[in-house]
Amino acid sequence: MGVRMGSADIYAVVEQLPQIADSPVIGAELPDSRYVMPLFVVLAEGESVDDALRIAITTSIKHTLSPGTFRMSSFR
């Protein structure tokens, strides 16, 4: 049995972080039938991506939504 979470659930958590101005999420079904929801973040003015922000995003989602189904990969 899986855990259901939608983009609105993720927005509600991530956009509470003051470093984040916007956080679009898309749902994507992969050719092998897996489903992923990549999170893109638009930083607030003057902010930059660093390990502390990555940890804050990951921790917020894991603690509020679902620790067992979340993986974080970072791209620039």
Side-chain angles (χ1 to χ4, degrees):
M1 183 157 95
V3 175
R4 296 182 64 94
M5 75 176 84
S7 57
D9 301 313
I10 296 170
Y11 299 144
V13 172
V14 175
E15 290 183 3
Q16 295 298 311
L17 297 170
Q19 303 94 322
I20 307 298
D22 197 8
S23 59
V25 177
I26 61 168
E29 189 168 336
L30 302 178
D32 63 2
S33 298
R34 289 182 301 136
Y35 187 81
V36 297
M37 294 176 65
L39 166 67
F40 301 88
V41 295
V42 178
L43 299 175
E45 191 169 328
E47 295 293 339
S48 61
V49 176
D50 59 13
D51 288 339
L53 181 56
R54 288 184 190 94
I55 291 167
I57 293 169
T58 303
T59 301
S60 295
I61 294 172
K62 283 183 173 184
H63 286 235
T64 306
L65 297 176
S66 179
T69 61
F70 182 77
R71 282 193 315 252
M72 176 120 179
S73 298
S74 298
F75 303 97
R76 289 186 182 205

